Amino acid sequence: MSDVARAAGVALGTVSNVLNHPDKVAPATLERVQGAIEQLGFVRNTNAQQLAAGRSRSIGLVVIDISNSLFVDIARGAQRYASELGMNVLMANSDNRADQQRADLDFFDGARVGGILLAPMEDAGEDVARIRTHGRPTVVLNFDTGRNDCCQVLVDNEEVGYLAARHLIDNGRTRLAFVGGRDYLQPVALRRRGVRRAVAEEGGRVTLQEVPTENLDPPGGLRAAEGLVEDVRRGSLDGVIAVTDLLAMAIIQVFGARGVEVPRDVAVMGCDHNSAAWGGMIPLTSVQMKGLDMGREGLRLLLAEIDEDPAEHRHVTTMLRPELVVRESTVGRERATPLRD
Amino acid sequence: MSDVARAAGVALGTVSNVLNHPDKVAPATLERVQGAIEQLGFVRNTNAQQLAAGRSRSIGLVVIDISNSLFVDIARGAQRYASELGMNVLMANSDNRADQQRADLDFFDGARVGGILLAPMEDAGEDVARIRTHGRPTVVLNFDTGRNDCCQVLVDNEEVGYLAARHLIDNGRTRLAFVGGRDYLQPVALRRRGVRRAVAEEGGRVTLQEVPTENLDPPGGLRAAEGLVEDVRRGSLDGVIAVTDLLAMAIIQVFGARGVEVPRDVAVMGCDHNSAAWGGMIPLTSVQMKGLDMGREGLRLLLAEIDEDPAEHRHVTTMLRPELVVRESTVGRERATPLRD
């Protein structure tokens, strides 16, 4: 790094800024330092910055459930960015188990990664604090600790629910159901709140029934759908928002088997754009959780924290906006959006 | 481990057999040793077996591309089995890059995992040999090295192509196209061979055109489909087998935009059951690659190798049979199979 500083005729701190906070560097200086970096093959070949600071070029990523494509997207987003920097992301799947999550964190701690990206299943504040004392910062993804004790990247899950209900209402649906339980999970509670807000905006013109489920996977949807079939037939239900795509897929399957036509009789949508649910009978409308962006932003925050003096670091939370993806299950095949990556 | 042997009144080797080859142990002995294990909280709390042998309870898994759900399934299969044994699987994505793959292998080597599961993009024999000299065996998944230098788990990719073509022919399609290039990739060459075999069995009654593509992702499908539209209109094409689901999805999208109806005018299917391609306009028929089984079987072979005297170990290859999954894109919605996990 000092070679680069010398070649560019700048202070060491300026080179560090170019690498970590390019927005803080004057354009002419930025160009000069980047030229020197390129000339010396600096970042690409040696990762001298990492080595000099005794840091690893590897980052650990611990996620709840890799069968949910959100977490695969997070990994891909983090890894793409890591590759650009000549770094490496390793991944562990805690598989919805707290003991597994702790074991994964300990593995990465023992393997001396530079820092950790953690999409936790529940509050992991103690583990994060413990690992930080070993000089390894952790950025938390997709979970709001509610404290200001780490950097976080979140998706606005209330907006997810709001966008879902708004989409159905805007397409003429007025008798809605929100299907899903386990409100101790943040996304469920927040999505529910967003759905309620959109319905409330309609001032009584739109009804909402809330249907609890024991779990968020297909079996929960199968049981819930049996009751919903009758509601559709009675005319008291024309739009279903399932809190997960897997629930929505199961509901569509039961509707199909019972002769309820989607979306003609009832529109059905999910809320998490989980590719595992895309193989159902009818392509599913859902809300894109921006996993690629979450992974990239998480790594950006992590590297900034690794690079800063711990005494000076201030934790930040980045809130990402979700995005509606419209497919056949709510608007019919003709009006569905072609798939994008 | 010796505590368990003492408590159960058996030899140390018997405890090892209970843990690693329970089928070789007499039922009464098995029960006694398992009782002792439970009583001592042995596997769950201490992994004494691993520690005693200087082995880690963690296994590294390196895959080509986690955006392909085959590799997510492999990870899930390996992890489920690892969890049953109180072990842990860590995952790295080489993202189709040989340098990344080497870096991932070196990371796991440095992190002292017990062994490695590797789904390589190309022959990684040198890396496998190097890591084995450090006492860490590697089992290769989804790639046939063609030598007997490691244990392997493969899917019969020729059978994948055969099942695909057989399905179209059995559903009355007689003018087929096989779309896909890059035959230096084993699955492409093998699937092509299987398609040709099924067509050859029909003795001239079924025609086959082979349409090369530069890549196996959607852009390749978009270009190939433009030419295929004319063939469908001329009546010289009624069934398409794309070598990947992503190609198939892109082809269906072009067909839809150009007014060619799937499956009425032409049946379209993929070959790898990649969930990333399930969000297209029409649910896609494909062939299930059995990733869950591949991960589980890979870990089973790896643990057997870890446990054996290297001088006595004999490498084996397990060949898994693929399975056809029929959806709307080849048979219409009415006859499609509901989604299974």
Side-chain angles (χ1 to χ4, degrees):
Chain A
M1 197 146 111
S2 54
D3 291 345
V4 173
R6 209 162 24 240
V10 298
L12 213 56
T14 307
V15 179
S16 167
N17 274 339
V18 166
L19 292 169
N20 300 291
H21 307 285
D23 50 306
K24 293 186 183 168
V25 182
T29 311
L30 189 66
E31 201 175 301
R32 204 159 72 237
V33 175
Q34 285 174 336
I37 285 173
E38 213 164 287
Q39 203 184 332
L40 295 170
F42 167 62
V43 172
R44 188 165 192 89
N45 298 330
T46 64
N47 278 289
Q49 180 205 18
Q50 310 293 336
L51 294 171
R55 275 194 255 107
S56 162
R57 58 185 287 278
S58 296
I59 296 296
L61 167 66
V62 180
V63 301
I64 308 174
D65 179 9
I66 50 167
S67 65
N68 183 332
S69 60
L70 169 62
F71 300 108
V72 173
D73 285 348
I74 288 173
R76 291 170 62 209
Q79 183 163 28
R80 280 187 199 172
Y81 186 41
S83 288
E84 291 167 26
L85 304 171
M87 298 183 73
N88 197 12
V89 174
L90 289 309
M91 185 169 170
N93 176 30
S94 67
D95 205 22
N96 288 300
R97 287 168 41 207
D99 60 335
Q100 184 67 57
Q101 178 173 296
R102 182 161 300 126
D104 291 337
L105 290 170
D106 286 344
F107 174 86
F108 284 132
D109 193 20
R112 299 169 186 277
V113 297
I116 292 174
L117 299 172
L118 170 64
M121 57 175 303
E122 53 192 34
D123 194 355
E126 278 182 36
D127 290 320
V128 169
R130 176 168 49 85
I131 287 166
R132 185 181 289 117
T133 64
H134 304 168
R136 267 176 276 286
T138 298
V139 171
V140 170
L141 308 178
N142 202 43
F143 183 89
D144 188 353
T145 68
R147 303 177 302 267
N148 188 31
D149 59 350
C150 60
C151 288
Q152 304 185 128
V153 187
L154 305 173
V155 171
D156 187 341
N157 267 303
E158 185 176 333
E159 184 73 10
V160 169
Y162 182 83
L163 285 175
R166 182 59 34 225
H167 167 65
L168 293 183
I169 295 167
D170 289 349
N171 281 277
R173 309 290 169 160
T174 58
R175 288 146 293 163
L176 307 187
F178 178 76
V179 179
R182 303 182 63 168
D183 276 55
Y184 58 88
L185 296 173
Q186 286 181 351
V188 176
L190 291 168
R191 289 171 193 170
R192 183 188 302 281
R193 194 188 297 171
V195 168
R196 286 178 180 169
R197 178 159 59 88
V199 170
E201 284 177 1
E202 297 298 310
R205 204 180 65 78
V206 173
T207 61
L208 176 67
Q209 60 168 306
E210 305 191 20
V211 181
T213 58
E214 262 177 58
N215 57 53
L216 305 178
D217 293 334
L222 296 175
R223 281 189 290 272
E226 292 296 339
L228 298 175
V229 168
E230 288 313 305
D231 293 329
V232 174
R233 290 199 176 130
R234 268 201 306 268
S236 63
L237 176 66
D238 64 7
V240 173
I241 299 160
V243 75
T244 66
D245 285 11
L246 288 170
L247 279 176
M249 176 187 69
I251 290 167
I252 287 174
Q253 202 153 302
V254 172
F255 283 173
R258 303 287 295 277
V260 172
E261 202 173 306
V262 175
R264 191 198 61 185
D265 304 336
V266 57
V268 181
M269 65 181 297
C271 277
D272 54 5
H273 203 257
N274 180 353
S275 70
W278 294 354
M281 297 170 66
I282 299 179
L284 192 64
T285 295
S286 190
V287 184
Q288 168 63 261
M289 296 288 288
K290 299 295 187 70
L292 292 172
D293 294 346
M294 204 184 292
R296 172 174 282 266
E297 174 66 6
L299 182 54
R300 194 188 69 78
L301 293 177
L302 183 61
L303 296 178
E305 184 168 349
I306 290 172
D307 196 58
E308 263 172 358
D309 180 344
E312 305 222 334
H313 178 72
R314 293 172 61 180
H315 298 305
V316 296
T317 293
T318 301
M319 181 71 83
L320 302 172
R321 282 185 67 82
E323 191 185 342
L324 185 72
V325 180
V326 179
R327 299 208 195 89
E328 182 181 345
S329 71
T330 57
V331 298
R333 183 165 291 175
E334 301 309 314
R335 292 177 51 215
T337 317
L339 183 79
R340 293 164 301 165
D341 181 31
Chain B
M1 197 145 110
S2 54
D3 291 344
V4 173
R6 210 161 23 238
V10 299
L12 212 56
T14 308
V15 180
S16 168
N17 275 341
V18 167
L19 293 168
N20 300 293
H21 306 285
D23 50 306
K24 293 186 185 167
V25 182
T29 311
L30 188 66
E31 202 175 298
R32 204 159 73 237
V33 174
Q34 284 174 337
I37 286 173
E38 214 164 286
Q39 204 185 332
L40 295 170
F42 166 63
V43 172
R44 190 165 190 88
N45 300 327
T46 66
N47 277 288
Q49 180 205 20
Q50 308 295 333
L51 294 171
R55 276 193 253 110
S56 161
R57 60 186 285 278
S58 297
I59 296 296
L61 167 66
V62 180
V63 302
I64 308 173
D65 180 9
I66 49 165
S67 65
N68 183 332
S69 59
L70 170 61
F71 300 108
V72 173
D73 286 346
I74 288 174
R76 289 170 63 209
Q79 183 163 29
R80 279 186 200 172
Y81 186 40
S83 288
E84 291 166 27
L85 304 172
M87 299 183 72
N88 197 11
V89 175
L90 289 308
M91 184 171 171
N93 176 29
S94 67
D95 205 23
N96 288 300
R97 288 167 41 206
D99 59 336
Q100 183 68 57
Q101 178 174 296
R102 182 160 298 126
D104 291 336
L105 290 170
D106 286 343
F107 174 86
F108 283 132
D109 194 20
R112 298 168 186 278
V113 295
I116 292 174
L117 298 172
L118 170 64
M121 58 175 302
E122 55 192 34
D123 193 356
E126 280 181 35
D127 290 320
V128 170
R130 175 167 50 83
I131 287 167
R132 184 180 291 118
T133 64
H134 304 168
R136 265 176 276 287
T138 297
V139 171
V140 170
L141 308 178
N142 202 43
F143 184 89
D144 188 353
T145 68
R147 303 177 301 268
N148 187 29
D149 59 351
C150 59
C151 289
Q152 304 184 128
V153 187
L154 305 174
V155 170
D156 186 342
N157 267 302
E158 185 177 333
E159 184 72 9
V160 169
Y162 182 82
L163 284 176
R166 182 57 35 222
H167 168 65
L168 293 184
I169 294 166
D170 289 348
N171 280 279
R173 309 291 169 160
T174 57
R175 288 145 294 163
L176 307 187
F178 178 77
V179 179
R182 304 183 62 167
D183 275 55
Y184 58 88
L185 297 173
Q186 286 181 349
V188 176
L190 290 168
R191 290 171 192 170
R192 181 188 304 281
R193 194 188 298 170
V195 168
R196 286 178 180 167
R197 178 158 59 88
V199 170
E201 284 177 0
E202 298 298 311
R205 204 181 63 80
V206 172
T207 61
L208 175 67
Q209 60 167 305
E210 304 192 22
V211 181
T213 58
E214 262 177 57
N215 56 53
L216 304 179
D217 294 333
L222 296 175
R223 280 189 290 273
E226 292 296 341
L228 298 175
V229 168
E230 288 313 306
D231 293 329
V232 174
R233 291 201 175 127
R234 266 201 306 270
S236 62
L237 176 66
D238 63 7
V240 173
I241 298 159
V243 75
T244 66
D245 285 10
L246 289 170
L247 280 177
M249 175 186 70
I251 290 167
I252 287 175
Q253 202 153 301
V254 172
F255 282 172
R258 304 286 296 276
V260 172
E261 203 172 305
V262 175
R264 192 198 60 188
D265 302 337
V266 59
V268 180
M269 65 181 298
C271 277
D272 54 5
H273 204 258
N274 181 352
S275 70
W278 294 353
M281 296 170 66
I282 299 179
L284 191 64
T285 295
S286 190
V287 184
Q288 168 63 262
M289 296 287 287
K290 300 293 187 73
L292 292 172
D293 294 345
M294 205 184 290
R296 172 173 282 265
E297 174 66 6
L299 182 54
R300 193 187 69 77
L301 293 177
L302 183 61
L303 295 178
E305 183 167 350
I306 289 173
D307 196 58
E308 262 172 1
D309 180 344
E312 306 220 334
H313 177 72
R314 293 172 60 181
H315 298 305
V316 297
T317 293
T318 301
M319 181 71 82
L320 301 172
R321 283 185 66 82
E323 190 184 343
L324 185 72
V325 179
V326 179
R327 299 210 195 89
E328 181 180 347
S329 71
T330 56
V331 298
R333 183 164 292 175
E334 302 311 314
R335 290 178 51 215
T337 316
L339 183 81
R340 291 163 304 165
D341 181 29

